[in-house]
């Protein structure tokens, strides 16, 4: 199958989406992903977009695991002595 329309979505961007990424400072890459950094919306490259999403996902997972109570209930010393 031919791929005649590959990249036509980037025609609307200046320079067809190519430029310098403000995060990794690579030049000549497609900067078509909009991300909010320090309250400003900037366009970043594909790799930086994925890295930011993965970092946010890992931070969210760590926050949830710290907030969740322990799966095994702890028994106080007075309750343990009364049970035996």
């Amino acid at each position: 199958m031919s791929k005649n329309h590959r990249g036509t979505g980037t025609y609307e961007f200046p320079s067809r989406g190519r430029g310098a990424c403000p995060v990794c400072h690579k030049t000549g890459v497609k900067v078509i992903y909009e991300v909010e950094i320090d309250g400003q919306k900037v366009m970043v490259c594909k790799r930086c977009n994925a890295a930011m999403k993965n970092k946010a996902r890992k931070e969210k997972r760590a926050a949830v695991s710290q907030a969740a109570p322990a799966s095994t209930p702890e028994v106080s010393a007075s309750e343990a002595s009364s049970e035996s």
Side-chain angles (χ1 to χ4, degrees), residues 2 5 25 28-29 36 38 48 53-54 57 73 76 80-81:
S2 65
H5 303 291
H25 305 291
V29 294
E36 187 172 331
D38 297 329
C48 293
K53 284 187 177 183
N54 286 333
R57 183 177 50 90
S76 65
S81 62

Side-chain angles (χ1 to χ4, degrees), residues 7-19 29-34 43-44:
T8 57
T10 61
Y11 287 174
E12 62 193 40
F13 295 114
S15 300
R16 302 225 171 147
R18 295 207 175 258
V29 294
K30 290 183 182 175
V31 286
I32 56 175
Y33 300 94
E34 189 172 291
M43 302 295 276
V44 297

Side-chain angles (χ1 to χ4, degrees), residues 2-84:
S2 65
K3 297 177 171 114
N4 295 334
H5 303 291
R6 182 182 288 184
T8 57
T10 61
Y11 287 174
E12 62 193 40
F13 295 114
S15 300
R16 302 225 171 147
R18 295 207 175 258
C21 179
V23 178
C24 64
H25 305 291
K26 288 185 180 180
T27 58
V29 294
K30 290 183 182 175
V31 286
I32 56 175
Y33 300 94
E34 189 172 291
V35 179
E36 187 172 331
I37 300 174
D38 297 329
Q40 295 179 341
K41 291 195 175 194
V42 294
M43 302 295 276
V44 297
C45 67
K46 181 179 182 177
R47 289 187 180 108
C48 293
N49 183 45
M52 287 182 208
K53 284 187 177 183
N54 286 333
K55 182 180 176 184
R57 183 177 50 90
K58 287 179 182 179
E59 288 174 354
K60 184 179 178 183
R61 183 183 290 168
V64 168
S65 66
Q66 289 177 356
S71 61
T72 57
E74 295 183 17
V75 180
S76 65
S78 61
E79 291 175 0
S81 62
S82 65
E83 289 178 3
S84 28

